[in-house]
Amino acid sequence: MADVPAEIPSPLWGCFLSCEAECVRVRCGIDAISTDRFRVEAWRRDAGPVAVAEARRQLADLIRVVDDRANRVTLPSLNFLGAFDEGLSAG
């Protein structure tokens, strides 16, 4: 099993940053990121359809990498990918 580092590209990264609500990432890590659907949907409305389509593609790619059990993915944000997928798909 190989270690595979995964990165979160823009515009998906911007969505994650817009949900930094509980604390700040430097201090609290991923616990700073809220998975509140309304926050994700607010970013979706503000970002516009082109950015949302790209973020959804990026998120789908990221989920595919994480779901591939042949590799060990290192990404600190794995536990909330599903919540972001739901929020970005809404509407």
Side-chain angles (χ1 to χ4, degrees), residues 35-82:
T35 58
D36 179 76
R37 180 178 180 163
F38 297 109
R39 287 185 179 275
V40 179
E41 289 175 2
W43 178 86
R44 181 178 49 81
R45 284 189 304 275
D46 292 343
V50 173
V52 170
E54 179 64 12
R56 290 187 70 198
R57 186 193 62 73
Q58 293 168 341
L59 185 58
D61 290 347
L62 192 55
I63 289 171
R64 207 170 6 264
V65 168
V66 170
D67 283 346
D68 181 357
R69 302 294 181 202
N71 298 311
R72 184 181 10 225
V73 179
T74 51
L75 178 70
S77 325
L78 295 179
N79 63 344
F80 57 78
L81 294 179

Side-chain angles (χ1 to χ4, degrees), residues 13 16-17 20-21 23-33 77:
W13 181 243
F16 284 13
L17 289 179
E20 185 179 70
C23 187
V24 290
R25 281 175 301 102
V26 207
R27 186 173 196 212
C28 298
I30 65 169
D31 292 332
I33 308 293
S77 325

